[in-house]
Amino acid sequence: MISFTPSDEQQLVIDTVRRFASEQLRPLAHDADELRSTPPEVLTRGWELGLFHSAIPEAHGGIADAQAALTGALAIEELAAGDAVLGWHVLLPATFAVPLAHAGSAAQRERWLAPLLEGDYTPLSAALIEPAWDFDPTAPRTVAIADGEEYVLDGLKGYVARAADAAALLVYARLADSLAAFVVPRDSAGVTVLAREQHMGLRALPTYQVRFEGVRLPADARLPGAVAPLLDRSRVALAASAVGVARGAYEYARAYALQREAFGRPIAQNQSIAFMLAEMAIEIDATRLLAWEAAWRLDRGLPATREAALAAQYADEMVLTVTDRAVQILGGHGYIREYPVERWLREARGFPTFLGLAIV
Amino acid sequence: MIDFEMPTPVSRQVQFIGMLGEQVMRPRARYYDDHEGERPAEYTSLIWQTVRAQGGRNFSADSSERLDRDGRPRPRIGYLMLAHMVEALSWGDAGMYLATPGAGLGGAAVDATGTPEQKERFLKRFGEGDPKWSAMAMTEPHAGSDTAAIRTRARLSDDGREWILDGEKIFVTSGAMAARDSAGFVVVWATLDPGAGRAAIKPFVVEAGTDGMLVTKLEHKHGIRASDTAAIVFQNCRIPRENLLGSEEIGDGRGSTGKGFAGAMRTFDATRPLVAASAIGIARASLEFTIAYLQQRGVAIRYDVPLHRQTAIERDLRQMEAQHRAAWLLVLRAVTAMDAGRDNALEASMSKVKAGQVATFIAQKAVELLGPEGYSCTLLLEKWMRDARINDIYEGTGQINRLIVARRLLGYSSRELR
């Protein structure tokens, strides 16, 4: 029966993560962006929230319930409302482990999942995006070729978070005509971590280009399950993240407009400002509902590629518009780095390129 | 729990109305668009059987309590059902949907503001006999969104037994059918004292055919032409004193029972998502038609390709689909809040803003995508584009609804944010 009310458990997740995001992430976000680093303590504290564990099904040692993707979307929105980049950094191991939970073999889960669930924050991540304007996640240029009992991997990846110190990467590659994913220990022969990348945003999370040259992998490095649906999970996570970023920007601009006076009254009393805020709020809510519906389909095991793609593309545009308007509402202050809104605009522009950096 | 599962009765109803739309409404949609002012009798006679069987309460939510097998109350789905019906009928033809006989908008005003005696006297007719309409007359030539500025006067006759109405109302939906062409009535909003603002504005029921009430004009409209839109002049129009709905007293405009002007305004919280639903019905019609038309001509529509590989048509269609779905989900959120008995003024106006805009965007885009075919009257797309446009205008323009949303979000009164 149709309902837009989170369960009591989900509301608890929302409240807990919201507190963490506003008390821990937001105050750190400015310096993390300027200094291009995340304080390790925040990753430890974030890990303790147990969000990672909520994404892993009980059968594999986690505590996920029947609405894991939805709960994940709710949590990611809250993290992103504090700071998306720090939030993704907190959840980074999920980009390695959630695919293993859904498409991995028992041996792969045994080897990688169990220690993660019992241990501390460990930098493990995924390599999906490639540094090319025409990158297509369903047909990457990175290829794996079967060679006897082994696979040989060749290609160049970008946006690989924590590649410098991650023990292993989940590498997406084309195998024959379909998409496959492989667990690749970073110290494998032929893996070269190149220079750290510099982006307009996404600065608190260290990302690297990584070259794979004739990397030989055993047959059991490949995830046996379907890989394409994992992209839908990432699209939903990004749509929810976009909602969080946009909400942060909207709330900031709203508070500013209520307090900033011009011509003897708060600027929010001008329709030009008030209408912008109304439209921002409507678009944020609309996008959230799209993301929720796609997540709900994932949880139900229904086909979700269409819904996830529509939600993500809609969210990409929405978050850009909303953060851009927040900059406008703050006027000159919006352009100054002391205020967070220009940072949000920088993050927002990157959303169409962020596939794979978060997952539900 | 967040859930997107539709209750079975709702899906069944949508399916049924879809057949009605395909077999009765669509085949005649072009004719009534070309013959503005003619009653779409095939549809109205057919739907009247259903409306009459339900006691004439078309488009009012079923709020009765039902129990499940274990004796627990089932969640109410009255407004959810209603939104789906309106959406599905508008998918068939929005103009005909607006011309649906029954208690309608005037009946809603009687429901919201009338005494039990008045409800019995005015609403009983919709459960018997021939098709009847009621209408709501609020807008005047100089007063649209600013309803408090209306000038139509109501004064008591010397013997105190009758109200005498004088003034002019325009843009009365189904006005001709309610005032002239059926045994219906018009709910006329008039002021007892033009200096007293909203508090003095009261609803009066004027029976069809009353002397002094004259339909002076039928508007020629951009779209929704199957529905008549009338101008009605009241000249020394005398009605029984008992036809004033609610209290005669000029209070603070709220009234102790919340049934005064402000109470009637609150009925907009219920009707706005329904207007939004109607908009979505037209949007869905345009979208489905466009996709089917293109697919039949070999145009692929893929969802798993990145931006740079999408064709311009795919990119447009994805945007249309996402906009459509987003707006519809906002409507569903507004009606489920209504069913749950929560204040939904914010959600209602949000859905109206979004759907009003989206319907026009989609219908205009659909015409564009199909080029000369889209622009041609051989298809219904150009008509749907014209039909869609009203939804950002009536029942509160997009701007009025943005004001309502903004006031809520900013915590401003109507004085602080004008």
Side-chain angles (χ1 to χ4, degrees):
Chain A
M1 167 66 194
I2 188 155
S3 161
F4 301 96
T5 311
S7 68
D8 291 345
E9 293 80 7
Q10 286 168 334
Q11 192 57 50
L12 190 66
V13 170
I14 291 173
D15 295 342
T16 309
V17 181
R18 184 173 296 182
R19 199 173 320 117
F20 171 77
S22 65
E23 291 172 5
Q24 311 270 341
L25 300 186
R26 180 68 70 82
L28 292 172
H30 174 267
D31 288 358
D33 176 68
E34 292 286 332
L35 302 171
R36 299 176 65 219
S37 75
T38 302
E41 317 83 74
V42 78
L43 299 176
T44 309
R45 283 196 295 269
W47 189 251
E48 286 163 1
L49 291 174
L51 296 177
F52 173 79
H53 302 74
S54 307
I56 307 295
E58 275 183 38
H60 306 324
I63 54 168
D65 61 15
Q67 288 206 319
L70 245 174
T71 309
L74 296 169
I76 287 180
E77 175 187 332
E78 294 305 328
L79 287 173
D83 188 78
V85 182
L86 294 177
W88 295 336
H89 203 165
V90 165
L91 288 176
L92 187 63
T95 63
F96 178 89
V98 166
L100 261 59
H102 290 285
S105 68
Q108 287 163 346
R109 287 194 285 262
E110 179 78 13
R111 163 74 183 83
W112 295 102
L113 268 189
L116 262 175
L117 286 163
E118 282 154 30
D120 299 331
Y121 185 92
T122 313
L124 289 161
S125 76
L128 169 66
I129 301 164
E130 296 171 354
W133 73 273
D134 58 350
F135 167 63
D136 181 347
T138 62
R141 290 201 173 90
T142 300
V143 291
I145 293 167
D147 181 17
E149 294 290 288
E150 294 185 322
Y151 293 104
V152 183
L153 190 66
D154 279 283
L156 177 67
K157 293 287 184 182
Y159 282 73
V160 187
R162 297 290 297 262
D165 62 348
L169 305 170
L170 185 73
V171 183
Y172 292 82
R174 194 152 44 86
L175 177 66
D177 277 332
S178 61
L179 185 68
F182 300 86
V183 176
V184 181
R186 191 179 45 92
D187 56 12
S188 308
V191 176
T192 314
V193 176
L194 304 171
R196 182 174 169 183
E197 294 172 325
Q198 301 236 36
H199 302 291
M200 175 161 64
L202 197 70
R203 289 161 59 88
L205 177 64
T207 69
Y208 303 83
Q209 289 194 358
V210 180
R211 186 177 301 286
F212 302 90
E213 271 172 317
V215 181
R216 300 196 77 85
L217 300 166
D220 64 2
R222 181 187 166 201
L223 271 56
V227 172
L230 299 171
L231 301 180
D232 299 335
R233 295 188 162 270
S234 183
R235 290 189 180 105
V236 169
L238 288 179
S241 304
V243 171
V245 172
R247 202 185 87 205
Y250 157 74
E251 284 170 358
Y252 197 93
R254 175 185 171 278
Y256 181 89
L258 281 167
Q259 148 271 308
R260 169 76 181 189
E261 297 206 348
F263 308 105
R265 60 177 190 171
I267 60 170
Q269 286 190 1
N270 299 305
Q271 285 190 356
S272 58
I273 303 288
F275 281 18
M276 273 202 267
L277 287 165
E279 285 162 10
M280 289 156 79
I282 293 169
E283 287 306 310
I284 291 166
D285 282 7
T287 313
R288 180 185 297 115
L289 297 177
L290 288 176
W292 282 5
E293 189 178 30
W296 176 83
R297 293 182 70 89
L298 286 174
D299 285 330
R300 283 284 182 103
L302 298 167
T305 296
R306 175 176 172 272
E307 287 74 13
L310 291 180
Q313 198 159 328
Y314 193 91
D316 289 348
E317 287 182 29
M318 180 281 295
V319 69
L320 183 66
T321 310
V322 168
T323 54
D324 187 75
R325 288 187 165 192
V327 166
Q328 190 67 20
I329 288 170
L330 264 78
H333 299 291
Y335 200 70
I336 305 294
R337 296 219 300 278
E338 184 186 336
Y339 293 84
V341 288
E342 69 80 30
R343 186 177 76 244
W344 290 326
L345 175 57
R346 284 188 283 118
E347 313 295 12
R349 181 65 285 186
F351 268 81
T353 74
F354 289 160
L355 193 66
L357 284 179
I359 198 162
V360 292
Chain B
M1 191 181 86
I2 296 165
D3 195 3
F4 291 83
E5 184 92 56
M6 250 345 118
T8 320
V10 173
S11 335
R12 222 181 286 137
Q13 184 72 266
V14 169
Q15 213 178 351
F16 172 74
I17 297 178
M19 278 159 46
L20 178 78
E22 220 155 277
Q23 290 163 18
V24 179
M25 300 171 95
R26 289 277 178 93
R28 293 164 178 85
R30 176 58 69 185
Y31 177 87
Y32 288 106
D33 187 63
D34 287 341
H35 296 77
E36 191 165 18
E38 265 186 50
R39 180 189 299 183
E42 301 90 344
Y43 167 72
T44 56
S45 308
L46 192 73
I47 197 82
W48 172 248
Q49 309 302 324
T50 313
V51 172
R52 190 176 58 182
Q54 289 165 358
R57 308 302 265 267
N58 59 336
F59 312 124
S60 69
D62 177 5
S63 60
S64 58
E65 189 156 86
R66 293 204 172 81
L67 302 180
D68 67 11
R69 255 174 266 156
D70 304 326
R72 286 178 307 229
R74 284 180 194 275
R76 290 177 203 272
I77 57 166
Y79 281 101
L80 182 70
M81 178 70 94
L82 209 49
H84 278 85
M85 289 167 61
V86 171
E87 195 269 353
L89 285 170
S90 301
W91 177 89
D93 189 89
M96 288 187 210
Y97 147 64
L98 285 167
T100 305
L105 273 181
V110 173
D111 251 340
T113 56
T115 63
E117 180 273 325
Q118 287 172 325
K119 288 180 198 177
E120 166 74 13
R121 185 151 53 96
F122 295 126
L123 300 180
K124 196 165 155 264
R125 70 189 72 187
F126 297 109
E128 55 197 33
D130 293 333
K132 298 173 195 72
W133 284 260
S134 85
M136 174 112 140
M138 175 75 86
T139 299
E140 298 183 4
H142 70 283
S145 298
D146 184 9
T147 48
I150 63 173
R151 286 182 201 145
T152 297
R153 278 295 302 268
R155 57 198 160 84
L156 269 182
S157 61
D158 292 341
D159 60 8
R161 289 165 62 180
E162 291 173 319
W163 293 106
I164 305 169
L165 301 180
D166 285 285
E168 183 185 2
K169 293 290 181 184
I170 61 166
F171 299 167
V172 184
T173 299
S174 302
M177 291 195 285
R180 193 185 64 191
D181 301 338
S182 79
F185 61 79
V186 181
V187 173
V188 181
W189 294 78
T191 179
L192 301 176
D193 176 0
R198 289 180 170 223
I201 296 173
K202 302 284 180 185
F204 300 83
V205 176
V206 183
E207 293 280 357
T210 302
D211 285 342
M213 172 167 72
L214 195 64
V215 174
T216 53
K217 185 182 175 190
L218 292 178
E219 301 290 352
H220 298 172
K221 301 190 298 295
H222 185 61
I224 52 167
R225 294 183 186 164
S227 160
D228 82 74
T229 303
I232 303 180
V233 167
F234 299 88
Q235 228 167 13
N236 197 28
C237 178
R238 290 166 172 265
I239 58 169
R241 188 164 182 172
E242 303 77 48
N243 282 18
L244 185 154
L245 296 170
S247 156
E248 291 184 5
E249 268 165 53
I250 300 178
D252 58 3
R254 288 184 170 75
S256 52
T257 53
K259 285 188 170 179
F261 186 80
M265 289 292 107
R266 273 200 288 282
T267 62
F268 282 134
D269 297 348
T271 55
R272 280 188 174 132
L274 299 182
V275 174
S278 177
I280 296 295
I282 305 170
R284 180 164 66 89
S286 308
L287 188 54
E288 286 179 359
F289 183 86
T290 304
I291 289 174
Y293 185 98
L294 291 171
Q295 278 177 336
Q296 280 162 16
R297 284 152 187 81
V299 178
I301 299 157
R302 305 160 299 172
Y303 294 97
D304 59 347
V305 292
L307 262 183
H308 70 269
R309 281 184 53 213
Q310 290 169 26
T311 63
I313 288 179
E314 279 177 326
R315 202 164 175 176
D316 278 346
L317 283 173
R318 284 168 78 132
Q319 211 183 357
M320 292 157 77
E321 283 190 61
Q323 290 281 0
H324 164 261
R325 193 66 195 166
W328 180 230
L329 289 175
L330 286 176
V331 175
L332 296 182
R333 186 178 67 156
V335 292
T336 51
M338 194 80 190
D339 278 331
R342 290 197 300 272
D343 171 23
N344 75 337
L346 176 64
E347 288 89 347
S349 283
M350 281 181 152
S351 72
K352 173 70 167 64
V353 169
K354 184 68 179 167
Q357 213 169 9
V358 160
T360 286
F361 164 74
I362 288 175
Q364 292 180 351
K365 203 77 196 166
V367 169
E368 178 200 319
L369 285 177
L370 268 55
E373 289 288 276
Y375 196 66
S376 159
C377 294
T378 53
L379 300 178
L380 287 171
L381 274 184
E382 64 81 28
K383 173 187 179 298
W384 289 333
M385 176 182 137
R386 290 183 285 108
D387 289 347
R389 192 63 186 82
I390 189 60
N391 292 289
D392 203 24
I393 299 172
Y394 68 3
E395 210 74 4
T397 60
Q399 286 63 42
I400 287 295
N401 279 295
R402 276 173 179 78
L403 261 183
I404 292 169
V405 170
R407 282 177 191 147
R408 286 267 168 160
L409 296 173
L410 294 165
Y412 281 151
S413 65
S414 50
R415 198 175 305 249
E416 288 164 317
L417 181 61
R418 297 166 179 270

